[in-house]
Amino acid sequence: MARAGLTAERLVRAGAELADEVGFGQVTVSALARRFDVKAASLYSHLKNSQELKTGIALLALEELADRAADALAGRAGKDALQAFANVYRDYAHEHPGRYEAARFRLDPEAAAASAGGRHAQMTRAILRGYDLAEPDQTHAVRLLGSVFHGYVSLESAGGFSHSAPDSQESWTRILDALDKLLRNWPTP
C-alpha cells in the first residue's frame, strides 16, 4: 500500500533537493527513503528504481532550466540574449548544483524526446538566428555554446578558478564578449 502523501512527483522533487545537498551521484531510492524515514521498499510503489528517480530529477532540472531561460530571453536579442541565456545556466548551476548535474544525465531516447531538452536547443537556435548563421554552422555554434557554458560552469563549480586572479566573473564576462564577437564574424570554411 502506498504511504499517504508520497507521490512520484513529491519523491522526484525531494530527490532533486537531495541532489543539491549531497550530489546527484549520491541520490538513490534508499537515500530518499532515509529522508522520509521509510523503508526503501515502500517507495517502489511510486518509483521502479533509482534510474527512474534520476530520470525524473533530470527531467525536472531540464524543465526548470528551460523555464528560466525562456523568461530571461523574453524581449532580448543578439549579445544581450546570449549573455542572459549563458547566465541562466551559470546561476542555476550555482543555486542547484545537483540538479544542474542531473540536467546532463543521459536519458533514453524516449525520455529525451519528451524532455525540455528540445526547448533548450530551440532557444539556442533562436539566439543564433540573430547572428545570421545557416546550417551546418548553426549546429556547430550550438555545440560551441553548450561546450563553453557547461565547461566553464563545471570547472568553476569544481573550484578550478578560485585560486588565481582575476575573479571568475571577469573571465566569464570576457568569454561571453569573445563568443559574441566570434558569432558575429563566424569563420567560413
Side-chain angles (χ1 to χ4, degrees), residues 90-174:
R90 186 172 180 233
D91 293 346
Y92 190 81
H94 290 173
E95 294 169 30
H96 299 290
R99 292 178 204 208
Y100 183 79
E101 183 181 349
R104 296 184 321 261
F105 183 65
R106 185 189 260 320
L107 299 171
D108 66 60
E110 186 176 305
S115 78
R119 287 177 58 204
H120 292 268
Q122 289 171 344
M123 286 184 277
T124 306
R125 288 180 184 280
I127 291 167
L128 293 172
R129 279 194 293 276
Y131 291 97
D132 199 28
L133 294 178
E135 286 300 344
D137 291 330
Q138 193 176 90
T139 296
H140 297 314
V142 167
R143 292 172 180 167
L144 170 70
L145 294 179
S147 298
V148 171
F149 300 163
H150 296 301
Y152 193 91
V153 166
S154 296
L155 290 169
E156 184 179 41
S157 295
F161 306 136
S162 62
H163 305 294
S164 62
D167 181 67
S168 66
Q169 177 59 45
E170 183 179 338
S171 295
W172 179 249
T173 300
R174 296 210 40 199

